[in-house]
Amino acid sequence: MKSLCALLPWLKNFLGDLFKPQYVFVDFSYQEPNYAPLYREIFTDNLSFNANNNQLRFPVDWVHHDITLQPAIIAHIATVQSQRLDDSLDSPLSYQIRFKLLSQMKYGLPTMEMVADDLNMTSRTLRRKLEVEHTTFKQLVLDTRMQLAKEYLVNSSLPIAEIAELLNYHSAPPFFRAFSKFEGCSPKQYRQSASK
């Protein structure tokens, strides 16, 4: 049930005005509990219990809705990517920097000095602390951009030039070169292999 609870608000945010609750059907694989009216407050009146599976059903054409890169969606992607990136490292400073980079990517990449200032330290101290973690600010920027690029390539149909712009590259060729060097294949090849 927790995953269904999380999916419904995301679906509302994703679709915006196109979301119509009367077209959402929620099935649960267990008996109707005494507190079923609470379910109707969270979900919809289109509930069924004793179903074969827990599932959320909605019109198939909603799946083909263009990604609108609304601030709420960007924030969600930033949070998810930041959590994924942090799963591999136990470095709170790296986490904070990645989160700042992800959350501000749409508005322009912050400089190391800006990030250091936000963290109440000098850029020299930030550089030193990152050395202890065996990374650099430049590497964190690259890693963050590439993780977000892969997310866009796999989960959207955005043109590569638009992805480059979202990642604050001044044009597509520098993004293309950086991605190819980082992943060992072009953005187009990565998208094609991910869709197989």
Side-chain angles (χ1 to χ4, degrees), residues 96-115:
Q96 291 174 40
I97 293 171
R98 285 185 180 107
F99 187 78
K100 285 183 184 305
L101 292 170
L102 284 166
S103 61
Q104 295 177 16
M105 188 77 67
K106 180 182 178 187
Y107 308 105
L109 277 173
T111 63
M112 183 167 64
E113 289 73 21
M114 293 165 66
V115 171

Side-chain angles (χ1 to χ4, degrees), residues 77 81-82 85 97-98 101-106 108-110 137-153 163-171 174-179 182-183 187 190:
I77 290 172
Q81 283 301 319
S82 184
L85 287 167
I97 293 171
R98 285 185 180 107
L101 292 170
L102 284 166
S103 61
Q104 295 177 16
M105 188 77 67
K106 180 182 178 187
L109 277 173
F137 183 78
K138 186 177 178 180
Q139 187 62 47
L140 290 174
V141 169
L142 179 64
D143 291 347
T144 303
R145 277 176 152 174
M146 294 302 108
Q147 285 299 118
L148 200 49
K150 291 189 279 187
E151 183 78 26
Y152 285 133
L153 288 167
I163 293 172
E165 186 179 323
L166 288 168
L167 299 174
N168 279 284
Y169 284 94
H170 65 276
S171 63
F175 165 63
F176 184 89
R177 285 191 299 274
F179 189 90
F182 190 85
E183 281 297 316
Y190 185 87

Side-chain angles (χ1 to χ4, degrees), residues 42-61:
I42 297 170
F43 296 107
T44 174
D45 286 331
N46 301 327
L47 290 176
S48 69
F49 294 90
N50 296 319
N52 291 333
N53 298 303
N54 291 328
Q55 60 185 348
L56 181 70
R57 295 179 288 125
F58 49 86
V60 71
D61 59 322

Side-chain angles (χ1 to χ4, degrees), residues 26-98:
V26 183
D27 301 331
F28 294 101
S29 61
Y30 47 86
Q31 288 185 328
E32 182 171 344
N34 296 338
Y35 47 88
L38 294 174
Y39 282 49
R40 286 177 177 78
E41 287 179 28
I42 297 170
F43 296 107
T44 174
D45 286 331
N46 301 327
L47 290 176
S48 69
F49 294 90
N50 296 319
N52 291 333
N53 298 303
N54 291 328
Q55 60 185 348
L56 181 70
R57 295 179 288 125
F58 49 86
V60 71
D61 59 322
W62 288 6
V63 175
H64 302 292
H65 178 69
D66 290 335
I67 293 179
T68 56
L69 298 179
Q70 300 166 358
I73 293 173
I74 292 171
H76 173 72
I77 290 172
T79 303
V80 169
Q81 283 301 319
S82 184
Q83 289 168 349
R84 284 183 188 163
L85 287 167
D86 196 49
D87 285 345
S88 60
L89 294 171
D90 291 328
S91 50
L93 183 60
S94 294
Y95 175 83
Q96 291 174 40
I97 293 171
R98 285 185 180 107

